[in-house]
Amino acid sequence: MTSTPIRVLIVEDDPVAADAHVLYVGRVPGFTPVGKAHTGAEARRALERTPVDLLLLDLHLPDVHGLALARSLRAAGNPADVIAVTSARDLAVVREGVSLGVVQYVLKPFTFATLRDRLVRYAEFRSAAGEASGQDEVDATLATLRTPAPATLPKGLSAPTLTRVTSALRAAPEGLTATTLGTTTGLSRITARRYLEHLVTTGQAERRPLYGQVGRPELMYRWVPGR
């Protein structure tokens, strides 16, 4: 990480998503959100007021396409890098973005862990300095941005079971308890709760006490919309 925080402007038309992205960026060491904008025009005004190192840029803004905004910033001499946020999977758009300073793409919906990985990799790439010893070092520096880190789960959790748990929770907008989830997925209550707590830790689910019963209140878990 760099010693000076990397200043990030969040450009996102959805106010709820923009607030979430601000929180996400603020949780990653070495990064600081300096503002948010909901349109291209707001983004331009924000950049005139505040120096920015990185834009977390939604490509579908109400007044301009994100790549058009990036192109105009480049033409104006603004050197800020861009991490594009989009639900589109058009590779032609990806290719166009490379020439405009788009260093990473994050597909919606994404989790905090996904964005954190991209930001950490960007910070590592940004911190590279000095003269490369040869082709291998140049390739390794570029690979910092392009090669995703392998997903790791806490000991005892498996990806296939996590997928089942995630699907069950997303299919229950009112939420599930560990007991109900266990019955739905064939897991024990304790195992189901471990997976649910993992989803809470990664920001994909939230929990609240379920009152109105005898004894200690059970916890209700709910998938966080938009994750």
Side-chain angles (χ1 to χ4, degrees), residues 123-195:
E124 292 174 354
F125 173 78
R126 183 183 172 88
S127 66
E131 186 173 344
S133 59
Q135 184 68 50
D136 289 347
E137 189 170 346
V138 172
D139 292 343
T141 300
L142 292 174
T144 300
L145 284 173
R146 305 305 176 198
T147 307
T152 57
L153 291 173
K155 186 177 180 180
L157 302 189
S158 73
T161 302
L162 180 60
T163 299
R164 284 164 49 205
V165 168
T166 299
S167 297
L169 193 61
R170 295 186 73 167
E174 72 284 358
L176 294 172
T177 65
T179 300
T180 304
L181 177 66
T183 301
T184 302
T185 58
L187 302 172
S188 69
R189 183 184 65 82
I190 294 176
T191 299
R193 183 169 180 176
R194 287 193 63 201
Y195 281 91

Side-chain angles (χ1 to χ4, degrees), residues 22-206:
V22 169
L23 292 175
Y24 280 2
V25 170
R27 289 170 60 187
V28 181
F31 290 83
T32 182
V34 296
K36 58 185 176 181
H38 302 304
T39 67
E42 287 183 13
R44 291 188 183 94
R45 290 195 293 269
L47 290 168
E48 290 173 357
R49 297 190 304 267
T50 307
V52 168
D53 303 305
L54 178 67
L55 273 69
L56 189 61
L57 176 62
D58 182 16
L59 294 188
H60 295 286
L61 299 172
D63 59 340
V64 65
H65 191 278
L67 290 186
L69 174 61
R71 187 180 299 107
S72 68
L73 295 178
R74 285 291 172 270
N78 190 303
D81 291 320
V82 174
I83 291 181
V85 177
T86 179
S87 57
R89 289 161 170 76
D90 187 346
L91 293 180
V93 173
V94 174
R95 290 195 299 271
E96 182 181 358
V98 170
S99 65
L100 298 173
V102 177
V103 296
Q104 288 277 12
Y105 279 82
V106 182
L107 294 179
K108 292 182 177 181
F110 59 87
T111 65
F112 167 66
T114 297
L115 181 60
R116 178 183 58 198
D117 174 75
R118 300 304 189 276
L119 291 177
V120 168
R121 287 179 170 277
Y122 170 74
E124 292 174 354
F125 173 78
R126 183 183 172 88
S127 66
E131 186 173 344
S133 59
Q135 184 68 50
D136 289 347
E137 189 170 346
V138 172
D139 292 343
T141 300
L142 292 174
T144 300
L145 284 173
R146 305 305 176 198
T147 307
T152 57
L153 291 173
K155 186 177 180 180
L157 302 189
S158 73
T161 302
L162 180 60
T163 299
R164 284 164 49 205
V165 168
T166 299
S167 297
L169 193 61
R170 295 186 73 167
E174 72 284 358
L176 294 172
T177 65
T179 300
T180 304
L181 177 66
T183 301
T184 302
T185 58
L187 302 172
S188 69
R189 183 184 65 82
I190 294 176
T191 299
R193 183 169 180 176
R194 287 193 63 201
Y195 281 91
L196 289 168
E197 287 295 328
H198 171 71
L199 292 176
V200 171
T201 300
T202 57
Q204 297 169 269
E206 58 187 13

